[in-house]
Amino acid sequence: MNTTEKSKNLTINIGEINTLEVMRDTDYGYFLEAKDGKEVLLPNIYVMEDEMPMGSLIDVFIYTDSEDRPVATTKMPYAKLGEYGYFTVVDYKSYGAFVNWGLPKDLFVPLSQQKEHFTIGKKYLLRVCLDAQTDRLYATQKIGKYLNRDMKGLHQNKVLDAIILAKTPLGFKVVADNQYEGMLFTNEIFEDIRIGDRKKVYIKNVRKDFKLDLSLQPIGKQAKIGEGEGTILQLLKEADGTLPFTYKSDADEIKKKFGMSKKNFKRTLTELIESNKIQLTDDSIVLL
């Protein structure tokens, strides 16, 4: 885990991955230090002596323990500070809920941060936040105030990472790059998606209401063909060069196998044939 390319954190930042220096070995674990001299404990359960010699720099996630003291872990949560996750409720109290976010200590969702009554065992789309006064991490279901209305630098076909937020009559609402509200439209979706899924999306349109129209495929005929070609060629290689599809194949089967519309599939086949990358028989595609 030691590397000369790493740079030691100036300060210890809760809710984030920190690069810290191994400074002291104690009965409880290693103490790790930031540039400002502040230290945090990495408990024995996470210590790997062979990979963490004294003076080495290691990457750890920082959160607070049950007594609200900062603590380090080599485990990574399902979502970090400022990110969104689809978390399962594991406990419910009169003052709030607790969700599993992949760490030993569950993440707290205060009652004031819930838009509905949480149910144990059910999953909810939440944002990880930090209480600046207490340095405690918590999660919220009320995400509106965190969405960015500054659309500078966004343009058609820009690729973003998105998490599926909710199903609507038009399609699926998403949060893209942990900051933008966007929509995927049902008639442009050619694969199964569910709330909580993470997807690569393409900007289709930057709207005046500070929201994004998004697509799971690149925008424009040539862009779609370019991505489609890569998909078909990769699947052909994985299938030893032959796939039982033609221009006449069923649209649902094409959608299921290739994740594209029949129209785009036929265009892409034509491009591949004209560039001598495939040939079409009566019942299959053959890789050349």
Side-chain angles (χ1 to χ4, degrees):
M1 297 176 75
N2 190 9
T3 170
T4 55
E5 296 179 2
K6 288 184 179 177
S7 178
K8 186 174 173 180
N9 266 55
L10 178 62
T11 59
I12 294 172
N13 301 317
I14 294 173
E16 301 175 9
I17 295 172
N18 291 240
T19 301
L20 303 173
E21 184 178 355
V22 179
M23 291 299 291
R24 295 189 290 125
D25 184 4
T26 72
D27 291 341
Y28 306 103
Y30 282 177
F31 273 91
L32 313 177
E33 185 188 75
K35 282 185 179 178
D36 66 358
K38 297 285 180 63
E39 292 184 330
V40 64
L41 177 68
L42 178 70
N44 280 319
I45 191 172
Y46 304 116
V47 170
M48 293 180 286
E49 293 183 10
D50 293 342
E51 297 183 31
M52 301 174 180
M54 289 295 136
S56 64
L57 298 179
I58 62 172
D59 291 333
V60 291
F61 181 77
I62 306 294
Y63 66 116
T64 53
D65 63 16
S66 56
E67 297 180 24
D68 294 328
R69 297 171 301 191
V71 64
T73 174
T74 53
K75 292 188 71 175
M76 294 298 139
Y78 302 147
K80 302 184 291 295
L81 178 62
E83 296 179 348
Y84 294 79
Y86 199 42
F87 306 119
T88 303
V89 177
V90 293
D91 196 10
Y92 196 89
K93 305 292 184 184
S94 59
Y95 49 86
F98 292 88
V99 297
N100 174 19
W101 67 320
L103 296 181
K105 182 190 174 189
D106 297 321
L107 185 62
F108 181 50
V109 189
L111 198 61
S112 62
Q113 300 301 318
Q114 300 171 27
K115 295 200 294 186
E116 62 195 277
H117 178 82
F118 280 21
T119 303
I120 292 176
K122 190 175 176 182
K123 287 188 169 186
Y124 298 87
L125 204 298
L126 307 170
R127 184 185 192 273
V128 180
C129 303
L130 179 69
D131 184 324
Q133 292 183 320
T134 64
D135 276 341
R136 294 176 187 167
L137 292 166
Y138 69 93
T140 182
Q141 195 181 23
K142 299 179 178 180
I143 65 171
K145 69 178 181 180
Y146 298 105
L147 296 173
N148 193 346
R149 295 166 66 89
D150 183 357
M151 304 285 108
K152 289 175 185 169
L154 300 182
H155 55 80
Q156 190 177 83
N157 267 335
K158 183 178 176 71
V159 181
L160 306 174
D161 291 313
I163 185 168
I164 309 301
L165 181 63
K167 195 173 189 320
T168 77
L170 293 175
F172 288 88
K173 187 185 292 187
V174 311
V175 176
D177 274 15
N178 293 303
Q179 57 182 320
Y180 305 110
E181 183 177 346
M183 177 68 72
L184 290 167
F185 296 94
T186 301
N187 64 341
E188 298 173 352
I189 296 172
F190 304 105
E191 61 187 83
D192 292 330
I193 63 174
R194 294 170 294 180
I195 295 169
D197 283 353
R198 296 181 186 274
K199 296 288 182 181
K200 179 177 76 170
V201 297
Y202 300 83
I203 296 178
K204 181 179 178 183
N205 183 38
V206 179
R207 289 163 38 179
K208 291 181 180 179
D209 62 357
F210 310 108
K211 297 178 183 178
L212 301 174
D213 292 338
L214 301 166
S215 173
L216 293 170
Q217 300 86 32
I219 310 305
K221 179 181 174 182
Q222 286 308 122
K224 286 179 181 176
I225 288 172
E227 176 144 309
E229 283 184 2
T231 299
I232 291 173
L233 292 174
Q234 181 61 35
L235 289 171
L236 278 167
K237 290 173 186 174
E238 293 172 2
D240 295 325
T242 305
L243 286 169
F245 286 85
T246 68
Y247 286 124
K248 297 179 181 179
S249 295
D250 179 74
D252 287 339
E253 291 299 314
I254 291 169
K255 174 182 172 181
K256 184 176 179 182
K257 181 69 176 179
F258 300 97
M260 63 180 77
S261 67
K262 184 170 182 176
K263 182 179 179 181
N264 190 32
F265 175 73
K266 290 168 69 175
R267 282 178 181 165
T268 308
L269 286 188
T270 300
E271 290 282 333
L272 288 169
I273 291 168
E274 290 176 353
S275 58
N276 294 316
K277 293 178 181 176
I278 65 166
Q279 69 179 28
L280 224 52
T281 68
D282 291 340
D283 58 4
S284 63
I285 309 166
V286 179
L287 184 65
L288 294 178

